[in-house]
Amino acid sequence: MHRLLLIGLLTAAAAAAAPAPGREAAAASEVEITVHKTPWCGCCGNWVEHLRDHGLSVKVVEHDDLTALRASLGVPPALASCHTAEAGSYRIEGHVPAREIRRLLLERPEGVRGLAVPGMPLGSPGMEAGGRRQPYDVIAFGENGERHVYQSYRD
């Protein structure tokens, strides 16, 4: 009988310690994303709208040139695109889907400094082109230049 009571108490304690469903997702939504972009870039504005449409809070800061900012934030030049964002301690470069930003903020993978979609692939968020899509990868990058595919978009 004591064993059943102990198991019941342990199960109740574990349930109480677990985060409430949706609580982590809400925490991701509470991070304000600062998007650095040039004033004349239309696709950057479309990407900002994509983030907002997916429940993310966004602040936009306009710059004439993002080169020095990217360098100061540690974004590898080979991963550069048309806008750079800060999401908490993470860097987001280019047309990264909101879904992957949320995933990054929830999982907080060790050694990852940010995510990037290099270039401007057609069909990525903000680069919609009448249904045309190019395959692309979301690249996770680390402090020391290490990189790996975080998510592939092939359809």
Side-chain angles (χ1 to χ4, degrees):
M1 181 71 171
H2 294 310
R3 182 176 173 183
L4 289 176
L5 179 60
L6 179 60
I7 291 171
L9 289 173
L10 290 174
T11 302
R23 191 165 140 201
E24 289 180 343
S29 295
E30 292 171 8
V31 172
E32 182 175 65
I33 299 174
T34 301
V35 176
H36 302 277
K37 67 181 231 32
T38 58
W40 50 83
C41 184
C43 68
C44 295
N46 294 341
W47 185 69
V48 166
E49 288 309 309
H50 164 78
L51 297 181
R52 288 180 175 149
D53 288 347
H54 286 82
L56 295 170
S57 175
V58 181
K59 176 177 109 178
V60 175
V61 179
E62 294 186 338
H63 306 263
D64 288 332
D65 185 4
L66 297 173
T67 307
L69 175 76
R70 279 189 190 104
S72 73
L73 293 176
V75 176
L79 299 180
S81 184
C82 58
H83 52 265
T84 302
E86 299 172 81
S89 62
Y90 294 105
R91 310 306 181 233
I92 309 296
E93 181 66 22
H95 295 270
V96 176
R99 178 177 111 174
E100 305 314 329
I101 297 170
R102 284 183 171 283
R103 181 178 152 210
L104 175 72
L105 293 171
L106 290 174
E107 293 177 354
R108 300 197 176 276
E110 188 174 330
V112 173
R113 180 181 197 137
L115 300 177
V117 171
M120 300 165 64
L122 292 178
S124 62
M127 289 296 298
E128 291 82 6
R132 293 185 308 164
R133 301 182 69 79
Q134 293 176 310
Y136 67 94
D137 293 325
V138 177
I139 306 296
F141 61 92
E143 294 284 332
N144 300 316
E146 60 278 3
R147 300 174 194 161
H148 69 273
V149 174
Y150 191 70
Q151 183 67 48
S152 288
Y153 287 82
R154 297 288 178 238
D155 56 353

